[in-house]
Each structure stands twice: as structure tokens, then as C-alpha cells.
């Protein structure tokens, strides 16, 4: 909290942080709110931050088209499971009832292959993309995507698969 003091022009306290939380997070939000949103929005709806298979099933029953298995990089709840640990039971629980995406902890093409093997249909590459963009603009992002693609090809070759659709848990070391 000390770093924010220079921006606010005053020292911040625990009460300032608790006040910020109270103003930015609504503990009364529930699945019923998703039903209400669905009344007005008929387009695709994806719910981010799912870490539990029962929540994933609820997302299906309340009308979500997809979910993002994400621990938000651990920023809000640093004790929650990693996305790699949470993903398999979630993917098993919902099957093809909705699209399962994954976010958090993906830093390479090998990580993408791992997440696909664990049940994700696709991966979000937020942090890597932002870093690449900051480093070298559009060229940096294109280079990052090329590197991820090359790393995926190597991982796929080493695991004996020739298409993304063939990637499954058999490609992973079982521990």
C-alpha cells in the first residue's frame, strides 16, 4: 500500500484499502444476477474466475456459453489453486456443455499445450501479450505469438500429436 501513497498525496491505511474493497467488490452478487443479465443480453456470455467444478455446472445452468478457469493471477486470492490444478475436474464436470477457456500462468507455448491437455479449448494470453506489446509494439506481439507457435509445435512433436485436436491428458506425465 505504500506505493499508492505517492499517487494519492497522502499515506494510505488499512482502512483506505478496506474502503476501496467495499466500493469495488459487491458481496451480494450471485448466480441470480446472471439470470437478470441474460434477460437483456442474448449474445455469448463468458464467466471468468471459475475454480470449482460445481461453479462450472452452475454457469451452465444459469445460461453461460463459456467459462474462464482463472485465479486472476493470484492477485485477489493468493491461496487459491492454480488453474492447472483446477482445470481438469472443471473440464470433466461440464464436458461439451460450454466452452472452457483458461487464464493465468500461461507463459509459453508448452504451457498452452499443457492447458489444452488438461481440458481447455483455448488459452488467454493477457500478461504475455501486454509484455510483448510494451517491449516492441505490434512486432513484439507478433514475435511472441510466433515463439508460442514454435514452442507448441515442438511440444506436439515430442508428445506424438499432429493436430491440436489430438492433444489430451495422455501427453502429460502422470505423477
Amino acid at each position: 500500500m505504500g506505493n499508492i501513497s505517492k499517487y494519492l498525496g497522502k499515506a494510505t491505511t488499512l482502512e483506505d484499502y478496506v474502503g476501496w474493497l467495499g466500493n469495488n467488490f459487491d458481496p451480494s452478487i450471485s448466480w441470480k444476477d446472471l439470470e437478470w443479465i441474460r434477460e437483456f443480453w442474448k449474445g455469448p456470455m463468458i464467466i471468468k474466475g471459475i475454480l470449482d467444478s460445481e461453479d462450472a455446472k452452475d454457469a451452465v445452468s444459469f445460461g453461460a456459453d463459456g467459462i474462464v478457469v482463472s485465479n486472476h493471477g493470484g492477485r485477489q486470492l493468493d491461496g487459491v489453486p492454480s488453474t492447472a490444478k483446477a482445470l481438469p475436474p472443471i473440464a470433466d464436470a461440464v464436458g461439451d456443455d460450454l466452452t472452457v477457456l483458461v487464464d493465468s500462468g500461461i507463459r509459453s507455448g508448452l504451457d498452452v499445450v499443457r492447458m489444452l491437455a488438461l481440458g481447455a479449448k483455448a488459452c488467454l494470453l493477457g500478461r504475455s501479450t501486454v509484455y510483448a506489446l510494451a517491449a516492441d509494439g505490434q512486432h513484439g506481439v507478433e514475435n511472441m505469438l510466433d515463439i508460442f507457435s514454435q514452442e507448441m509445435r515442438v511440444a506436439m512433436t515430442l508428445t506424438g500429436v499432429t493436430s491440436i485436436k489430438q492433444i489430451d491428458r495422455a501427453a502429460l506425465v502422470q505423477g
Side-chain angles (χ1 to χ4, degrees):
M1 288 192 311
N3 290 341
I4 199 167
S5 299
K6 66 183 175 184
Y7 299 109
L8 294 177
K10 67 178 180 90
T12 57
T13 64
L14 181 58
E15 290 78 24
D16 293 325
Y17 180 66
V18 170
W20 179 85
L21 285 174
N23 289 328
N24 289 282
F25 293 91
D26 182 354
S28 70
I29 290 176
S30 72
W31 290 109
K32 293 292 183 186
D33 293 301
L34 184 59
E35 284 182 322
W36 177 80
I37 292 168
R38 233 340 157 200
E39 288 179 32
F40 301 97
W41 176 253
K42 302 302 179 200
M45 184 177 304
I46 298 175
I47 308 301
K48 183 178 181 193
I50 302 293
L51 287 171
D52 176 80
S53 58
E54 291 305 313
D55 285 343
K57 290 178 193 175
D58 285 342
V60 171
S61 66
F62 284 101
D65 299 293
I67 58 171
V68 180
V69 177
S70 173
N71 64 11
H72 304 287
R75 292 186 313 270
Q76 281 77 21
L77 296 169
D78 64 356
V80 298
S82 70
T83 53
K85 187 165 183 83
L87 178 58
I90 290 171
D92 291 344
V94 298
D96 292 326
D97 292 340
L98 51 67
T99 300
V100 178
L101 308 174
V102 68
D103 186 23
S104 304
I106 302 160
R107 303 288 181 265
S108 69
L110 179 56
D111 290 336
V112 172
V113 171
R114 284 183 186 126
M115 293 301 184
L116 295 174
L118 292 171
K121 298 293 184 211
C123 300
L124 307 179
L125 304 175
R127 190 174 297 179
S128 299
T129 304
V130 170
Y131 289 165
L133 183 64
D136 198 17
Q138 179 178 338
H139 181 264
V141 174
E142 290 169 352
N143 188 46
M144 186 247 352
L145 291 171
D146 286 342
I147 292 168
F148 272 52
S149 177
Q150 291 169 15
E151 291 170 341
M152 288 178 68
R153 283 186 178 92
V154 168
M156 290 169 63
T157 299
L158 293 174
T159 56
V161 299
T162 57
S163 76
I164 288 178
K165 290 181 185 215
Q166 293 175 327
I167 298 171
D168 62 17
R169 292 185 197 155
L172 301 173
V173 173
Q174 304 298 316

